[in-house]
Amino acid sequence: NQDNQPLNIEGVEVLGYYFELVARFEPGFTYYLTYGNPLAMSPVYDLDRFVSKIPEAPALLILGAEQYMPKEAEKGSEPLFKNKGWLWVLMGAIILLLGGFSISMMRKS
């Protein structure tokens, strides 16, 4: 505390956020709680518009063990042009073709 008088701390209280998930689950189905994608948008439910319908003491949900599910490599089609040079050549040819048609149309009128 440098040159100041020492502080007398009688107690410490740690505060934090209390997170709560309220949802209605239908029996007989398997549900998954997934997380870890920072780009995913948060869902918007109608349940938050009907707060009066939420019971005061809802039934607690028992969660299973956490499972790590690695993302599988995408097995899909390969790009049409692997080299970007071919794409630029194609785009240039299309621009020249459209420019040629435009000039020929302007000459006819």
Side-chain angles (χ1 to χ4, degrees):
N1 203 10
Q2 297 183 3
D3 293 335
N4 298 324
Q5 291 291 326
L7 299 174
N8 294 326
I9 300 174
E10 296 181 13
V12 177
E13 183 178 351
V14 178
L15 301 175
Y17 294 106
Y18 178 71
F19 294 101
E20 187 175 47
L21 176 66
V22 178
R24 181 177 60 199
F25 297 106
E26 296 293 328
F29 293 98
T30 303
Y31 295 95
Y32 297 96
L33 176 64
T34 59
Y35 58 92
N37 185 357
L39 301 177
M41 295 177 58
S42 60
V44 179
Y45 298 111
D46 291 338
L47 190 60
D48 64 346
R49 292 182 177 83
F50 302 101
V51 177
S52 62
K53 300 286 185 180
I54 299 173
E56 289 294 325
L60 292 177
L61 182 66
I62 299 171
L63 298 177
E66 182 178 3
Q67 298 177 2
Y68 176 70
M69 300 170 64
K71 183 178 178 181
E72 296 179 7
E74 293 182 9
K75 298 177 184 175
S77 61
E78 294 186 11
L80 186 60
F81 297 104
K82 291 182 182 178
N83 186 353
K84 288 187 179 181
W86 286 109
L87 181 62
W88 283 105
V89 168
L90 179 65
M91 291 299 295
I94 291 172
I95 291 171
L96 288 175
L97 183 67
L98 289 174
F101 282 132
S102 299
I103 291 174
S104 67
M105 288 176 61
M106 287 191 292
R107 287 185 182 162
K108 288 183 183 178
S109 54

